Amino acid sequence: MGRLILGIDTSCDDTGVGVVEDAPLRVRANAVRSQLIHQGYGGVVPELASRSHLDHIAAVAQRALDQAGCRFDQFSAVAVTAGPGLLGALLVGLNFAKGLAQGLGLPLLPVHHLQGHLAAGLLEVPHWAPPFLALIVSGGHTHLFDVAEGASGWHYQLLGATLDDAAGEVLDKIARLLGLGFPGGAALARLAEAGDPRAVPLPRPYRGGLDFSFSGLKTAALLAYRAGCRPEDLAAALQARVVEALIKTLRRAAHQTGRSRVVVAGGVAASAALRAALAELPGLEVSLPPPGLNTDNGAMIALAAAGRDAPAPDPTLGCEARAEWGLGDML
Ligand code: KG4
Ligand code: ZN
């Protein structure tokens, strides 16, 4: 049996604890508790998120161990999201991880949240090596990277990002407007199945470079809603426009860089419409996370850490949470 790594993510509103075995690389457990508490507010309330993580993290960790059929003393390392994310929420996971690492005498491996999403997207293509493109689409990010082999590990060059709202954020805001709860990306996708995307003319948010911009689309969707369009048509039109913007920019990036592979990850990578459009991209090999690893979770954090040589345990446990943390900054 390979080494067992515990992975923890509390960067936003999901309390995630996962167990990964590193050789061969596989997910042994992935326990996630999504916080419903934010539904009434239409967005994540940071203070409520931190408290809820605190109330539930121990039980979620126990659930992960039960799923994996292992004990705490069998782990080789504890991996945890150190950022970016909501500071108070990050601190709960980080301190829980520090306590475990200290108590068990294990190394603590701080992981960048986006590296976790990427690791989930790469799980099914262990033979891939850089260079390739990486598109992270979630409620907080719409970031496009070129991943290359650097002198000391992988090098991430940010090619483009959203200038305003993230793709998932737009889906969530319009889903909320339609009374679909929060986060509403998946519910909006279900509603869109019954709609006609051509029935609501929304502008193309495509800009021409490798950046994204979704706020104009959001406003147009709001106006169309107020004008009384059918909710299912609005959902279908919005989804089509978001997918189109992602695909067009991806094609442009592939053309500019000459890359032929792309990994797409983050919560919005669960979108069936996006997956269908990606499958039709000519000349681009695409890798996506398996079910259950698209939205935030702890297993992806352990997966990201599994590729690293475990350092000796740090007795000072000096790692700090970083609410803002560019992926390029750390590698
Ligand atoms: O990665 P994630 O869990 O959290 C962040 O790091 O932000 O992503 C959450 C986002 C939300 O905006 C949610 O609406 C969206 O992913 N999402 C989806 C689907 N499932 C989750 N969007 C479209 N289709 C889905 N099936
Ligand atoms: Zn995320």
Side-chain angles (χ1 to χ4, degrees), residues 83-269:
L86 301 170
L87 190 60
L90 286 167
L91 281 170
V92 176
L94 185 60
N95 285 319
F96 185 74
K98 284 183 180 182
L100 281 178
Q102 178 90 307
L104 299 167
L106 296 177
L108 179 77
L109 305 177
V111 172
H112 190 290
H113 183 75
L114 295 192
Q115 255 193 330
H117 278 304
L118 272 184
L122 290 168
L123 180 62
E124 291 180 345
V125 287
H127 55 288
W128 277 27
F132 50 77
L133 297 174
L135 176 66
I136 313 272
V137 264
S138 69
H141 292 90
T142 309
H143 280 48
L144 179 59
F145 296 95
D146 185 44
V147 186
E149 203 74 66
S152 52
W154 291 5
H155 175 76
Y156 300 87
Q157 186 195 349
L158 185 64
L159 298 176
T162 181
L163 302 174
D164 37 61
D165 292 2
E169 200 177 342
V170 175
L171 299 176
D172 290 344
K173 284 189 177 148
I174 301 305
R176 184 189 173 205
L177 189 69
L178 297 176
L180 300 175
F182 176 85
L188 193 87
R190 280 193 295 278
L191 184 64
E193 284 170 23
D196 175 5
R198 284 154 309 180
V200 182
L202 293 178
R204 292 198 153 76
Y206 172 56
R207 298 178 55 84
L210 295 180
D211 287 323
F212 305 88
S213 168
F214 293 108
S215 70
L217 180 61
K218 184 180 64 182
T219 306
L222 174 67
L223 294 177
Y225 172 77
R226 287 197 185 138
C229 68
R230 292 200 321 153
E232 52 272 47
D233 292 340
L234 180 60
L238 180 70
Q239 176 176 270
R241 284 290 179 262
V242 169
V243 167
E244 191 181 280
L246 296 172
I247 295 288
K248 276 194 171 172
T249 308
L250 206 49
R251 285 184 76 153
R252 175 171 285 230
H255 182 71
Q256 282 184 14
T257 58
R259 306 299 187 220
S260 58
R261 286 174 165 169
V262 58
V263 49
V264 181
V268 181

Side-chain angles (χ1 to χ4, degrees), residues 7-9 14-18 30-32 81 113 117 120 292-303:
I8 297 168
D9 183 86
D14 294 309
T15 312
V17 182
N30 190 23
V32 180
T81 302
H113 183 75
H117 278 304
L293 293 186
N294 292 288
T295 48
D296 291 349
N297 64 86
M300 71 183 195
I301 302 305
L303 284 171

